Amino acid sequence: MRRFFACVLLCLLLLVAGARASVLDGIVPNPDIRYHVRLISGDELTGVVVEIVDDDFDGEGIKLKTEIGTATIYASQIAELMPLPLAYPHAHRVFLMPTAEPIRDNLFVSLYELVFLYGGFGLSDFFSVTAGRSFVPTVPSNEQLNMFNAKLTAFNGAVPALPGSLSVAVGGNFAYQNKTNYLLHLYGVGTWRTERTLLTGTVFAKTGGADEMTVRAGELGSAVLHYESGTVGLGLGLDTRLIQGRYDLRFISELWNHEALNPAKVAL
């Protein structure tokens, strides 16, 4: 038994050592790529890798040019290193509202409010797919909510007249309870991104589904939805870091108006 635990411990140490040795794999100096670095100490830095270094005592490392100077950071100090667009994996959406940012490599599975299983993936830097299904207790299977969303990011880059970057996308959203109750929307969305904030605006139109439907939710009750096809709506989303340098503490908000010609139909 002791030999078994010793072997397991040795394997874990080798895996950790391998991860430490590979943290800088594929990193090359490039003035056009900004990186987010999280140190084992918890400190976070953002900058451009200007040089790869190799010290006889500290081992392999990088020189990172930041806004306050150039820091030499060794692989043994780094907990996480990635291109800046990947540092915040939720940039493809606000809360419910899709942004124009692609999912890229940020494959995810999540559980909204513990009752909506939701996941998504990206294909290159252009195509993003998300899907989900609710699991609300006491609600029958044919009255649960299902959703499928596909988005094509047509542009994602810097604009000379603006700081930060701009992304533009078009997409479609299909939501349904059953074959009778379903909604199809097409939308266009633009997101202006700075290092700290994402500001999103969207225009969407209902292009499928009945103009009137009764939405039921088991013992929770039912509601009649009046929503004409061809109706155009607007949305605005804000996602910003509350503290500079931290990606895990943010303020998010969404404003929806599903009927642009009726200002009274606004949700925040």
Side-chain angles (χ1 to χ4, degrees), residues 240-243 246-251:
T240 186
R241 281 184 285 160
L242 291 178
I243 301 175
R246 291 198 59 166
Y247 288 81
D248 57 352
L249 188 61
R250 310 182 72 93
F251 172 81

Side-chain angles (χ1 to χ4, degrees), residues 92-133:
H92 65 276
R93 61 175 174 83
V94 187
F95 186 70
L96 299 175
M97 180 186 300
T99 70
E101 294 274 321
I103 293 178
R104 295 187 177 90
D105 295 329
N106 286 317
L107 171 74
F108 73 94
V109 176
S110 61
L111 192 60
Y112 269 40
E113 304 296 334
L114 301 180
V115 295
F116 193 79
L117 184 63
Y118 181 62
F121 63 91
L123 298 175
S124 71
D125 289 343
F126 305 101
F127 195 62
S128 304
V129 176
T130 55
R133 176 178 170 82

Side-chain angles (χ1 to χ4, degrees), residues 83-199:
L84 188 58
L86 300 181
Y88 180 51
H90 309 291
H92 65 276
R93 61 175 174 83
V94 187
F95 186 70
L96 299 175
M97 180 186 300
T99 70
E101 294 274 321
I103 293 178
R104 295 187 177 90
D105 295 329
N106 286 317
L107 171 74
F108 73 94
V109 176
S110 61
L111 192 60
Y112 269 40
E113 304 296 334
L114 301 180
V115 295
F116 193 79
L117 184 63
Y118 181 62
F121 63 91
L123 298 175
S124 71
D125 289 343
F126 305 101
F127 195 62
S128 304
V129 176
T130 55
R133 176 178 170 82
S134 67
F135 294 91
V136 181
T138 74
V139 175
S141 176
N142 67 340
E143 294 179 1
Q144 298 285 350
L145 178 65
N146 305 272
M147 187 278 293
F148 177 82
N149 188 85
K151 178 178 68 180
L152 175 66
T153 300
F155 175 80
N156 186 12
V159 177
L162 292 174
S165 63
L166 177 70
S167 53
V168 178
V170 293
N173 184 286
F174 182 64
Y176 70 96
Q177 272 193 316
N178 45 53
K179 64 181 180 180
T180 303
N181 292 347
Y182 71 90
L183 294 171
L184 176 64
H185 288 88
L186 298 180
Y187 63 87
V189 56
T191 298
W192 174 53
R193 177 176 188 155
T194 66
E195 194 166 312
R196 189 167 180 170
T197 300
L198 291 99
L199 183 62

Side-chain angles (χ1 to χ4, degrees), residues 25-104:
D25 284 356
I27 304 298
V28 295
N30 188 331
D32 297 324
I33 301 178
R34 291 177 61 79
Y35 286 92
H36 171 71
V37 183
R38 181 170 61 84
L39 304 181
I40 294 174
S41 65
D43 294 330
E44 295 182 328
L45 300 170
T46 299
V48 175
V49 175
V50 295
E51 186 180 346
I52 304 294
V53 299
D54 195 355
D55 185 82
D56 292 338
F57 181 78
D58 292 308
E60 191 178 18
I62 58 173
K63 286 190 175 181
L64 187 75
K65 184 178 181 181
T66 70
E67 294 180 354
I68 59 174
T70 301
T72 300
I73 308 170
Y74 296 99
S76 59
Q77 300 173 300
I78 298 174
E80 197 172 48
L81 171 64
M82 64 184 69
L84 188 58
L86 300 181
Y88 180 51
H90 309 291
H92 65 276
R93 61 175 174 83
V94 187
F95 186 70
L96 299 175
M97 180 186 300
T99 70
E101 294 274 321
I103 293 178
R104 295 187 177 90

